[in-house]
Amino acid sequence: MNNSLIDYQAIFAHAPIGMCVSERRIMQVCNLALTRMFGYQPAELNGQSFQVLYPTQDEFERTGARIVPIMNAKGLYSDERIMRRANGELFWCHVTGHSLVPDDTHAAGIWTFEDLSEKRSVSAELSPREREIAALLVEGKTSKLIGKQIGLSPRTVEMHRANLMKKFAAATSSELVHRLLGVRQ
């Protein structure tokens, strides 16, 4: 196929998954799927900090710090987390990023976002820390690994897990993960 016939800007703009290019955690250009997913007008997110997509400033900062060692080691990062739409609605989102500058994670990157709300709803009122721990539980991480990754003791992580189990009426950790994932049992 002749590359001169391929309009890469049109492909980016109309890709069926949310995409953006970032510099220093500022969205430089976002495609239509991303702006629609988050409830913004086309180009409204361009030049905005990723912070507007997070439930809280603290979650934005902690997530940014958490991805640095992983991105520096692999050049790629992926997780599922709770994000915030323009109208304040919270929803589960699969986020994947690729750093374009080795050893400088936030210098420049390409990010994709997939709305998981049809598969999984945010059904309980969760604190920012509970949202963070819920996302890591969904990844299959143990309390010890979660604690190490986010700088908490395993006992503190267990306390948050117990609160999540109460909020989701889950009898076991496995049942909690299934409920977080929206799996019907």
Side-chain angles (χ1 to χ4, degrees):
M1 178 176 248
N2 184 343
N3 284 344
S4 65
L5 299 178
I6 298 174
D7 182 349
Y8 291 102
Q9 286 183 322
I11 292 168
F12 175 83
H14 300 285
I17 189 166
M19 298 173 66
C20 74
V21 176
S22 68
E23 288 181 10
R24 300 277 170 225
R25 301 189 81 195
I26 303 294
M27 296 172 276
Q28 299 301 309
V29 61
C30 302
N31 73 351
L32 296 171
L34 181 70
T35 56
R36 275 190 228 116
M37 178 188 315
F38 283 93
Y40 290 91
Q41 293 299 311
E44 189 176 357
L45 289 171
N46 296 350
Q48 295 286 323
S49 167
F50 278 123
Q51 194 277 323
V52 301
L53 307 180
Y54 283 80
T56 66
Q57 175 73 30
D58 188 49
E59 288 170 276
F60 166 71
E61 291 172 8
R62 282 200 318 255
T63 302
R66 186 174 68 235
I67 70 172
V68 169
I70 297 167
M71 195 79 110
N72 284 343
K74 299 180 182 178
L76 184 71
Y77 181 84
S78 181
D79 72 12
E80 292 179 0
R81 64 180 80 140
I82 295 174
M83 303 293 286
R84 183 185 67 197
R85 298 188 205 281
N87 67 6
E89 176 191 357
L90 301 180
F91 71 105
W92 280 96
C93 189
H94 181 86
V95 180
T96 302
H98 176 71
S99 177
L100 298 175
V101 180
D103 300 323
D104 192 354
T105 300
H106 297 306
I110 301 170
W111 294 89
T112 63
F113 297 79
E114 180 185 2
D115 185 344
L116 301 176
S117 60
E118 286 188 27
K119 301 174 195 168
R120 182 183 325 161
S121 64
V122 179
S123 58
E125 189 63 39
L126 305 178
S127 72
R129 186 62 87 178
E130 288 170 339
R131 286 192 289 269
E132 183 178 28
I133 290 171
L136 295 168
L137 288 170
V138 165
E139 290 179 17
K141 295 190 172 160
T142 64
S143 293
K144 187 175 180 180
L145 284 173
I146 292 170
K148 187 175 184 177
Q149 186 171 341
I150 64 176
L152 295 177
S153 73
R155 185 165 167 73
T156 301
V157 173
E158 284 296 327
M159 179 193 72
H160 287 293
R161 182 195 305 250
N163 288 340
L164 286 166
M165 289 175 70
K166 284 180 197 168
K167 288 181 177 185
F168 284 90
T172 66
S173 293
S174 175
E175 187 177 348
L176 172 62
V177 170
H178 281 98
R179 293 201 177 170
L180 289 169
L181 289 171
V183 175
R184 306 276 188 255
Q185 291 184 335

